[in-house]
Amino acid sequence: MKKVKIYVTLRESVLDPQGSAVMGSLHKMGYGEVEDVRIGKYLELVIGDGERDVDALVNELCHRLLANTVIEDYRYEIEEVVSQ
């Protein structure tokens, strides 16, 4: 069994109005040292042992559903889950 941590973020070339709004609020609250905010998604999947390659499966999931690859980038980490 594997745990997959997926990070989805807007591409650098895409404007992030949500991030801009959060940065503006932080500045109004007195946190002027914050220079940039980018909002993204974090997902955790637990994938059971099977015949499919986990890397290929995660890439397929990201391309088909979890990320809009036109405007978003993704990266992921795979961890082995130790049963107790």
Side-chain angles (χ1 to χ4, degrees):
M1 192 176 341
K2 308 243 187 307
K3 179 187 277 189
V4 181
K5 297 177 181 181
I6 303 171
Y7 305 88
V8 181
T9 55
L10 287 172
R11 292 183 178 207
E12 288 295 323
S13 61
V14 176
L15 294 176
D16 185 357
Q18 223 179 352
S20 296
V22 170
M23 187 173 65
S25 295
L26 290 171
H27 286 180
K28 287 179 185 174
M29 294 172 68
Y31 300 105
E33 61 268 20
V34 176
E35 295 182 6
D36 192 27
V37 176
R38 304 286 288 178
I39 303 292
K41 297 180 278 191
Y42 171 74
L43 303 98
E44 281 189 6
L45 307 177
V46 176
I47 299 176
D49 295 327
E51 294 182 18
R52 294 187 68 177
D53 177 63
V54 175
D55 279 308
L57 176 62
V58 173
N59 276 307
E60 182 178 327
L61 294 171
C62 288
H63 276 274
R64 295 190 69 194
L65 177 67
L66 303 178
N68 178 349
T69 56
V70 174
I71 62 170
E72 294 175 318
D73 290 322
Y74 66 90
R75 64 182 175 82
Y76 58 89
E77 302 166 0
I78 301 172
E79 299 175 358
E80 190 71 39
V81 175
V82 179
S83 301
Q84 294 183 354

